Each structure stands twice: as structure tokens, then as C-alpha cells.
Amino acid sequence: MKFLDEAKVFIRSGDGGAGAVSFRREKFVEFGGPDGGDGGRGGDVWVEAVNGLNTLIDYRFQQHYKAGTGIHGMGRNRTGANGASVTLKVPVGTQIFEEDNETLIIDMVTEGQRFRLAAGGNGGFGNAYFKSSTNQAPDWANPGLPGQEKTIWLRLKLIADAGLVGLPNAGKSTFLATVTRARPKIANYPFTTLHPNLGVATIDGREFILADIPGLIDGAHEGVGLGDRFLGHVERTRVLLHLVSAQEENVGQAYKTVKHELNAYGGGLEDKPEIVALSQIDVLDQAEIKKKAKELQKACGKPPLLLSAAAHMGMTEALRALRDVIVESAGETALPDRSQHPAENADTDEDDA
């Protein structure tokens, strides 16, 4: 299944049914009077956040959604049936924007959340509604009100607790594949990761969601490489794990390049808690590791973690560091008891969108 995080959709709610003009005509009933029923209400257009989705690919193949029209009223005081409503099912974390793609309508951040995007038109009153002591034979009825129509944008921002950022080939996908059961594509060339991946990691009995996005390069905020279009998927995270490959000749510059792109993007990423790690240390000897760790510390202002996903070195420490920030930001006071909850990998909802 392809990953799609933005879609343009046209929606239209149903028109209301017209009221009926009818008079009761029965044998031996001299003054039957009006008996025209009301029209049915048009269907609504709803949006609902559901579990099990992490892409908007369904809206690539269908861009028009129209609710049912209300049925007209009929004689014998019969009210028309309401039109069928339509529900757009979207992943949790989807934002709905007006046609200008800037005005936010609703942010679907919780599973089961529903919102009415377009209300159906009310049905018209039949002539029986207008009967009174002074007007006992009205010969008119109301037409149904028209529905609403608009074009909207759906924009997905994945819900994750922690995000992985770094240059291409910094080891982000390998880290994700090692600590979760997600299976992102891994290869030794830039931009192997072309779209975000999610995985669920477990450490000391505590689960949290990791998001891996395509690598950033210098000028990404101006559209260079894959640009910064996927940075929105780490806007909601509570902490960033910034991986800098030990294979970089200048690890300090590599860190500053990505940090500059995060700051240029904005969206709160510049102020988000960050854990810096020197990755892929299995390819260097101890002297080189120590040297590059000092260079990276000078650039980021704090001692970096040392890890290698391929060799399973430093992974537990990195996961615990992420967990501590997540727990703190959630306002929790107690950490899980490690003796009762051994660390284990957890499954992800979906390997790949």
C-alpha cells in the first residue's frame, strides 16, 4: 500500500426533500383538509478518525463524496425518508483544511473522534403544517433546503511519541527495524526511505511509537532532496532522536546541517527536546569513536549517546533516554518497575504505509 499524506476532496451534503401539497379525499368525508407530509432531511458529510489506517491513499482513487438527498413528502401525512449520510474515515492525526489549504477546520487527534463537515438541508414543510383556524386549506408547501458543498484538504501528521531525524544513511531505518517489528527498506544509498515509517518500541514494559522520516540534507527547507514535506510527521512527537553517522567526515557539521533545517522549518521543532546519538560506531575503532564523540559534543553542547543498531550497541540506553523524556512530558511521576516488566520488542500496526 502506498503512502499518501495529503489529499484534496470534494464533498456535498444532501438536499432536503420538498414538502407535499395534498388534500384528504375520502368518500363521505366532506371536509378532508390538507394532509401533505414534510420532506426528509438531506444526509450529512462526516469525518471520523479510525484505528488501523496510517495513509490517505483511499482518497487518491475517490475524490468526490456526496450524501443522499431527502425524499419528498407525500399525501396521507407521510414524511419523506432522510438522505443517507456519508462518513470519511481517516487516520488518527489527520487535519482537515478549507480549500485554501491554510484555514484549519478540525484536527482529528483521538480515535473515534467525529466531526460534521457539511450539514444536510432541512426538508420542506408539507401543506398540512400550515393549516390553521383561519387557513384551513393551504395549497402550498416549502421546498427542501439545498445541501452544502465545499472542497477540503486532508493532511496527515502521524501520531508518534518520538521521531528519528538525521542525514540520509544515518542509520534511522536500521534503528527502527532493530527496536520494533517494522520493516522499512534499508540500503546503502541516500534516500532509501522515501516516506515515513512507524513502529512500536518497548523498553522496561513501557511502549511508545517511533516515527522514521526520510533524511534531510542542506537546503531541504527550500525543497532540495525530498525537502521538508515529511517534517510535519514529527511535529506531534514529544522528543527527537537525532542520529549522526560515525562515518561522516565532519560529524559536527552533519549535526548542524540537520539542526538548521529543523529550525528553518519551524512548527515547534526547534524547541522540541532532542537526544543526540553518534550512530554506526561499529565501523570505527575506539580512538576514532572518542574523537568523533568529542566533535559532536562540541557541536550540540552535550555528550552524545554512542550506539550501533547493526551491532545492538547502546540501544537500551537510547530507548530508556527516549522513554524518560516521554514520561516526563506526559506528566507521569513513576516509571514502570523494570523487574516485573522485562524489555521486549513490540509489534507495529503496519510495517509500511
Side-chain angles (χ1 to χ4, degrees):
M1 184 166 48
K2 297 291 185 181
F3 181 85
L4 186 69
D5 61 354
E6 191 172 72
K8 187 178 183 180
V9 176
F10 174 83
I11 60 173
R12 193 184 196 288
S13 58
D15 296 335
V21 176
S22 175
F23 292 89
R24 180 180 177 189
R25 293 180 175 85
E26 295 182 37
K27 192 175 182 180
F28 307 121
V29 179
E30 184 176 359
F31 302 104
D35 66 350
D38 300 337
R41 191 175 185 279
D44 301 327
V45 179
W46 294 81
V47 61
E48 180 181 1
V50 299
N51 190 19
L53 292 178
N54 60 359
T55 176
L56 298 173
I57 189 64
D58 292 341
Y59 299 98
R60 171 172 290 176
F61 306 108
Q62 182 178 351
Q63 294 90 28
H64 291 75
Y65 291 84
K66 298 180 180 180
T69 300
I71 304 301
H72 300 322
M74 292 171 281
R76 299 183 183 178
N77 291 309
R78 287 176 292 178
T79 299
N82 294 333
S85 295
V86 171
T87 300
L88 280 63
K89 295 186 177 181
V90 298
V92 177
T94 301
Q95 295 178 319
I96 315 296
F97 289 88
E98 296 283 4
E99 188 173 6
D100 60 8
N101 208 0
E102 294 180 358
T103 306
L104 179 66
I105 299 175
I106 186 68
D107 195 357
M108 310 296 289
V109 295
T110 58
E111 182 182 346
Q113 181 180 356
R114 283 173 59 86
F115 181 81
R116 187 168 65 182
L117 295 172
N122 287 326
F125 291 123
N127 66 334
Y129 177 85
F130 300 102
K131 179 182 177 181
S132 68
S133 60
T134 58
N135 185 7
Q136 297 186 7
D139 58 356
W140 69 87
N142 282 348
L145 295 179
Q148 302 173 342
E149 64 178 40
K150 63 173 69 176
T151 298
I152 59 173
W153 283 90
L154 310 180
R155 189 184 305 165
L156 174 60
K157 291 183 179 180
L158 296 176
I159 302 293
D161 299 304
L164 304 177
V165 297
L167 292 174
N169 284 5
K172 301 184 299 298
S173 296
T174 305
F175 184 93
L176 182 71
T178 301
V179 300
T180 73
R181 293 184 183 177
R183 292 296 173 262
K185 184 178 180 181
I186 300 172
N188 189 25
Y189 56 84
F191 301 113
T192 306
T193 301
L194 296 176
H195 51 74
N197 294 295
L198 285 179
V200 181
T202 302
I203 185 68
D204 300 328
R206 173 74 187 224
E207 288 186 348
F208 58 89
I209 301 175
L210 277 172
D212 166 34
I213 65 169
L216 301 171
I217 61 175
D218 191 18
H221 68 282
E222 297 175 346
V224 179
L226 292 179
D228 59 2
R229 61 165 297 198
F230 295 117
L231 278 177
H233 296 289
V234 293
E235 277 187 33
R236 303 181 191 271
T237 61
R238 297 175 180 173
V239 59
L240 298 177
L241 178 59
H242 188 160
L243 297 181
V244 180
S245 174
Q247 299 185 64
E248 295 285 345
E249 291 187 10
N250 190 333
V251 292
Q253 184 59 42
Y255 169 82
K256 292 178 181 178
T257 295
V258 175
K259 190 65 176 177
H260 172 71
E261 298 305 323
L262 296 176
N263 293 338
Y265 175 82
L269 296 183
E270 65 275 13
D271 300 322
K272 199 171 292 292
E274 179 187 59
I275 296 173
V276 182
L278 186 65
S279 63
Q280 301 174 340
I281 61 172
D282 56 296
V283 300
L284 301 179
D285 56 30
Q286 289 298 321
E288 283 293 318
I289 293 174
K290 188 174 181 179
K291 176 183 176 183
K292 295 205 171 186
K294 285 185 177 180
E295 293 178 7
L296 185 54
Q297 179 177 349
K298 184 178 179 181
C300 66
K302 53 188 173 183
L305 298 177
L306 305 178
L307 60 87
S308 169
H312 295 273
M313 300 167 59
M315 304 299 289
T316 301
E317 291 76 7
L319 290 177
R320 284 177 177 161
L322 291 172
R323 177 208 58 190
D324 290 345
V325 177
I326 293 169
V327 168
E328 181 180 355
S329 64
E332 300 178 23
T333 56
L335 295 180
D337 183 359
R338 296 178 183 176
S339 62
Q340 297 180 7
H341 303 284
E344 60 181 1
N345 286 338
D347 198 359
T348 182
D349 290 340
E350 197 164 353
D351 296 344
D352 196 334

